[in-house]
Amino acid sequence: MAVTMNDVARVAGVSLKTVSNVINNYEFIRPATKQRVLDAIDELGYEANLTARSLRSGKTSMLGLVLADLSIPYYAELASDIMKAAWARGYRVLVEQSGNEPEHEKAALQGQFRTLTDGLLFIPLALDAEQIIDAAGKKPLVLLGEFVQDPRLDMVLIQNHRAAAAVTTHLLAGGRRRIAVLGAHDGDTTGSNGLRLEGYKAALADAGVAYDPALVVDCDWRRDGGAEAIGRLLDSGVECDAVFGLNDALALGALHELLVRGRKVPEEIAVAGFDDIDEARFASPSLTTVAPGRAEIAERAVELLINRIENKDAAPAVQQPEASFELRVRQSAP
Amino acid sequence: MAVTMNDVARVAGVSLKTVSNVINNYEFIRPATKQRVLDAIDELGYEANLTARSLRSGKTSMLGLVLADLSIPYYAELASDIMKAAWARGYRVLVEQSGNEPEHEKAALQGQFRTLTDGLLFIPLALDAEQIIDAAGKKPLVLLGEFVQDPRLDMVLIQNHRAAAAVTTHLLAGGRRRIAVLGAHDGDTTGSNGLRLEGYKAALADAGVAYDPALVVDCDWRRDGGAEAIGRLLDSGVECDAVFGLNDALALGALHELLVRGRKVPEEIAVAGFDDIDEARFASPSLTTVAPGRAEIAERAVELLINRIENKDAAPAVQQPEASFELRVRQSAP
DNA sequence: GGTCTGATCTGCAACGATGTATGCCAACAG
DNA sequence: CTGTTGGCATACATCGTTGCAGATCAGACC
């Protein structure tokens, strides 16, 4: 059906292997021969069959990316950056949506999906480190997102603690004293939620402000979660003068709910988030947040994974580079 | 390295082909034999090599999806739905970002990328129908997004004209008479922009309201485009009492800019969009928009493409199903 | 008992590329 | 004139799977 190397070889009057050599830029080919082959390729419109190449070479030049759902803006933006970083290095990205379900995450880690990729970028949400190590095969794996942290696994870290502290300090500097936290459970110390909550607490302590567990409300990290959580908090009679959403989605949901309830932002209540998704810039009022270095995370993760893939034999120590962050002060918490 | 069918065959004490037969649910296998094979598979942790399978069978069970950029919420949400629809039918989706560049779009249509997929879902932005037909190979292709319309190509249609008219009619019913349009050029008649502009005009005509080209402002279909466009309009002294952004992103950008400039929405100026991205619901004020049936579009497009793939010989007429739409009235234009 | 039928299983070739080993020839040294 | 070197091209095996064409065997049937 499709044009193969054999067809090209026949037309160019050379052997199949010579065509292969031309395509792979083998050094010792007479320019005339090379030209004949290239002409034949042009004439026939030959395209290399990547499937066959993969089978023979054992490399697919594809990276798997497992995340909850692309409809979540932070993941979509991260995926976009990851694809660009991978593309620049000659790799493609195959996205797998786990929907936050353990079954799907496990399937993505060990299923046939793996045979299509040379390595995996994984944003775990449902599995813990032990389960990941169990389920993962021998193929390279780099974690993102740090709901899981473990010294045995490669991952790209966000400075959750310091960044959350920076947000909190900024709110405190604005005179806020009762800062609600959305998206964590009092007592969490691990995962993005725990680390960010710890950063918040540390900043409070630094400023000599007492920590009030009543201000910490757990919820889904989504817009409706944030809206619902701040509603619950206000309905319960707890008063606050600032809200720190542990990601932008829930900060924006909370922002929306506050405005619906007629609260003035930032006059009565300041709102801050975490992630700096594109939408934060264009919310009304625009959202103060922290940019966790998304492009850098994507770049580092792809680089680390590809290094693992291409130097498979060498097994240097586990790597956990940290991305830098930046506070983005906007209208919602000036 | 990895476990192959051969290993399984050896352990189970059957031929390689029998293992293959078990995996492919061949009818005539003694239950005992089947069990032995399954046990061996379990014991060795065998996973079929999809690359080899693809090479042999000529099918990759992957669909290509070419879009501008996943960081654009509408595309991300559509991609998420498409992946789910494809997954439910046993296909995976390989996303390719064109960045809206003709070169990339062309490369995605004809490059090696195609050899990895059984068919392509394509949201063209830079190429026209002629170029697409030229560049596309013989593999199945379904278009989305209708910047291109052509009777020779399969595509899933949005009811741009009727939906835009519905939005306009709604704004008119709210007493608005000077409705600015963002994202089109006066005189556009094709593509999403043209079709939506025509719908707008038709609704005006139906209501006996004069069309004023000065109210039509072209810009990028992004948040900053919308912000900048409404700014330009207001700065030029043109007054309006409503803004219709031809997609949600620019409507939200405009909304933001209006609020920054102290205009009251919806009291002074109503704002409406098109797409019903998740964010529209949580904007402040929440955005009135039209939902173009995203899930339905994804479903239909995947279904149509897979039908083309699996009934390749049969070549029924070009299909262009239309998705249904729904007006979502919210605070920005009650 | 021989033939036929259908269930069950097997061997071989092939998908389209690449790695390895090798052949051939011209140029050059001895 | 022979032997060696290096540039250039080729043949063959191979990656892991599936399609095709049998092979084998038990029981049914006459």
Side-chain angles (χ1 to χ4, degrees):
Chain A
M1 198 93 294
V3 183
T4 79
M5 268 194 180
N6 238 317
D7 304 325
V8 176
R10 202 174 318 116
V11 169
V14 297
S15 80
L16 182 147
K17 186 68 227 256
T18 298
V19 178
S20 169
N21 284 336
V22 168
I23 287 176
N24 293 289
N25 284 313
Y26 179 62
E27 196 178 354
F28 302 116
I29 302 179
R30 222 178 331 215
T33 313
K34 183 167 184 170
Q35 196 52 53
R36 241 174 334 132
V37 171
L38 292 175
D39 288 347
I41 288 177
D42 242 40
E43 181 188 333
L44 298 174
Y46 168 76
E47 291 287 351
N49 181 322
L50 297 187
T51 301
R53 214 215 282 292
S54 293
L55 174 59
R56 183 62 242 237
S57 66
K59 294 207 17 158
T60 63
S61 293
M62 290 211 275
L63 309 180
L65 171 60
V66 183
L67 43 73
D69 201 304
L70 279 179
S71 67
I72 296 168
Y74 178 72
Y75 293 139
E77 295 179 12
L78 184 60
S80 171
D81 285 346
I82 286 175
M83 284 178 162
K84 286 171 194 160
W87 173 268
R89 291 174 168 79
Y91 282 78
R92 289 206 153 73
V93 177
L94 190 54
V95 178
E96 187 94 337
Q97 301 191 109
S98 69
N100 208 342
E101 307 214 17
E103 286 316 306
H104 287 175
E105 290 197 350
K106 207 175 272 183
L109 272 178
Q110 52 188 189
Q112 304 182 320
F113 176 66
R114 295 292 312 252
T115 68
L116 284 173
T117 61
D118 294 335
L120 214 56
L121 296 167
F122 183 30
I123 308 182
L125 292 170
L127 299 184
D128 62 31
E130 219 55 56
Q131 293 171 304
I132 291 173
I133 292 171
D134 272 5
K138 284 148 305 202
K139 283 200 184 170
L141 172 69
V142 171
L143 299 192
L144 292 166
E146 20 208 313
F147 283 91
V148 163
Q149 255 179 320
D150 192 284
R152 290 167 294 177
L153 293 165
D154 284 329
M155 59 183 77
V156 177
L157 296 173
I158 293 176
Q159 299 189 30
N160 283 301
H161 190 282
R162 287 182 52 203
V167 172
T168 309
T169 300
H170 172 71
L171 292 171
L172 291 166
R176 317 289 171 166
R177 284 300 172 271
R178 306 262 315 149
I179 306 173
V181 174
L182 307 185
H185 188 268
D186 176 45
D188 288 346
T189 55
T190 61
S192 306
N193 47 339
L195 295 170
R196 292 177 193 177
L197 181 60
E198 290 288 311
Y200 160 83
K201 285 189 195 171
L204 287 186
D206 272 2
V209 175
Y211 165 69
D212 179 0
L215 286 168
V216 178
V217 185
D218 200 13
C219 62
D220 272 2
W221 282 31
R222 299 185 325 199
R223 276 178 272 253
D224 46 3
E228 180 264 332
I230 189 69
R232 234 189 312 143
L233 188 72
L234 295 179
D235 289 344
S236 73
V238 175
E239 271 307 316
C240 59
D241 54 13
V243 175
F244 177 18
L246 293 191
N247 82 355
D248 279 355
L250 54 85
L252 289 165
L255 174 58
H256 180 252
E257 180 67 19
L258 286 170
L259 295 172
V260 165
R261 290 175 176 237
R263 303 298 188 109
K264 291 213 180 318
V265 177
E267 294 80 359
E268 286 177 46
I269 303 190
V271 177
F274 197 115
D275 278 350
D276 193 31
I277 61 178
D278 199 32
E279 182 184 342
R281 219 159 30 107
F282 287 96
S284 304
S286 56
L287 184 70
T288 291
T289 186
V290 58
R294 215 183 54 228
E296 189 188 345
I297 294 170
E299 195 66 38
R300 299 281 211 110
V302 167
E303 188 187 348
L304 175 52
L305 181 59
I306 293 181
N307 278 344
R308 289 292 187 215
I309 291 169
E310 297 184 352
N311 312 313
K312 248 193 120 100
D313 28 10
V318 167
Q319 294 198 28
Q320 303 195 338
E322 243 183 6
S324 49
F325 69 93
E326 211 173 302
L327 187 66
R328 296 273 155 82
V329 177
R330 302 207 184 93
Q331 298 166 349
S332 72
Chain B
M1 200 94 292
V3 183
T4 78
M5 269 192 180
N6 237 317
D7 303 325
V8 176
R10 202 173 318 117
V11 169
V14 298
S15 80
L16 179 140
K17 186 66 231 245
T18 299
V19 178
S20 170
N21 284 336
V22 168
I23 288 176
N24 293 289
N25 283 314
Y26 179 62
E27 195 178 355
F28 303 115
I29 301 179
R30 222 181 328 222
T33 312
K34 183 167 183 169
Q35 196 51 54
R36 238 171 338 128
V37 171
L38 292 176
D39 287 348
I41 288 177
D42 242 39
E43 181 188 334
L44 299 174
Y46 167 77
E47 291 287 351
N49 180 322
L50 297 186
T51 302
R53 213 215 285 290
S54 293
L55 174 60
R56 181 65 243 233
S57 66
K59 294 206 20 157
T60 63
S61 293
M62 291 212 274
L63 308 180
L65 171 60
V66 184
L67 42 73
D69 200 304
L70 279 179
S71 67
I72 296 169
Y74 178 71
Y75 293 138
E77 295 179 12
L78 184 59
S80 170
D81 285 346
I82 285 175
M83 285 178 160
K84 287 171 194 159
W87 172 269
R89 291 175 169 79
Y91 283 77
R92 290 206 153 74
V93 176
L94 189 55
V95 178
E96 187 93 339
Q97 301 192 108
S98 69
N100 207 342
E101 305 213 19
E103 286 316 308
H104 287 176
E105 290 197 350
K106 207 175 270 183
L109 273 177
Q110 52 187 190
Q112 304 182 319
F113 176 65
R114 295 292 311 252
T115 68
L116 285 173
T117 60
D118 294 337
L120 214 56
L121 296 167
F122 183 30
I123 308 182
L125 292 170
L127 298 182
D128 62 29
E130 219 55 57
Q131 293 171 303
I132 291 173
I133 292 171
D134 274 5
K138 283 148 306 204
K139 282 200 184 170
L141 172 69
V142 171
L143 299 192
L144 292 167
E146 20 208 313
F147 282 92
V148 162
Q149 255 179 320
D150 192 284
R152 290 167 294 177
L153 294 165
D154 284 329
M155 60 184 77
V156 177
L157 296 173
I158 293 177
Q159 299 190 30
N160 283 301
H161 190 282
R162 287 182 52 203
V167 172
T168 309
T169 300
H170 172 72
L171 291 171
L172 290 166
R176 316 291 172 166
R177 283 301 171 271
R178 307 261 317 148
I179 306 173
V181 175
L182 307 186
H185 188 268
D186 176 45
D188 288 346
T189 57
T190 61
S192 306
N193 47 339
L195 295 169
R196 292 177 193 177
L197 181 60
E198 290 288 312
Y200 160 83
K201 285 189 195 172
L204 287 187
D206 272 2
V209 175
Y211 165 68
D212 178 0
L215 286 169
V216 178
V217 186
D218 199 14
C219 62
D220 272 3
W221 283 31
R222 300 185 322 201
R223 276 179 271 254
D224 45 3
E228 180 266 331
I230 188 67
R232 234 188 313 142
L233 188 73
L234 295 179
D235 289 343
S236 73
V238 176
E239 270 307 318
C240 59
D241 53 14
V243 176
F244 177 17
L246 293 190
N247 81 355
D248 280 354
L250 54 83
L252 290 165
L255 175 59
H256 180 251
E257 180 69 18
L258 285 169
L259 295 172
V260 165
R261 289 174 177 238
R263 302 299 188 109
K264 290 211 180 320
V265 177
E267 294 80 359
E268 286 177 47
I269 303 190
V271 177
F274 198 115
D275 279 351
D276 192 30
I277 60 178
D278 199 32
E279 181 184 341
R281 221 160 27 109
F282 287 96
S284 304
S286 57
L287 184 70
T288 292
T289 186
V290 58
R294 217 183 52 229
E296 189 188 346
I297 294 170
E299 197 64 40
R300 299 281 211 109
V302 167
E303 187 187 349
L304 176 53
L305 182 59
I306 292 180
N307 277 345
R308 289 292 189 216
I309 292 169
E310 298 183 352
N311 312 314
K312 248 193 118 101
D313 29 10
V318 167
Q319 293 198 27
Q320 303 196 338
E322 243 183 6
S324 49
F325 69 94
E326 212 173 301
L327 187 66
R328 296 273 156 81
V329 177
R330 302 208 183 93
Q331 298 166 347
S332 73

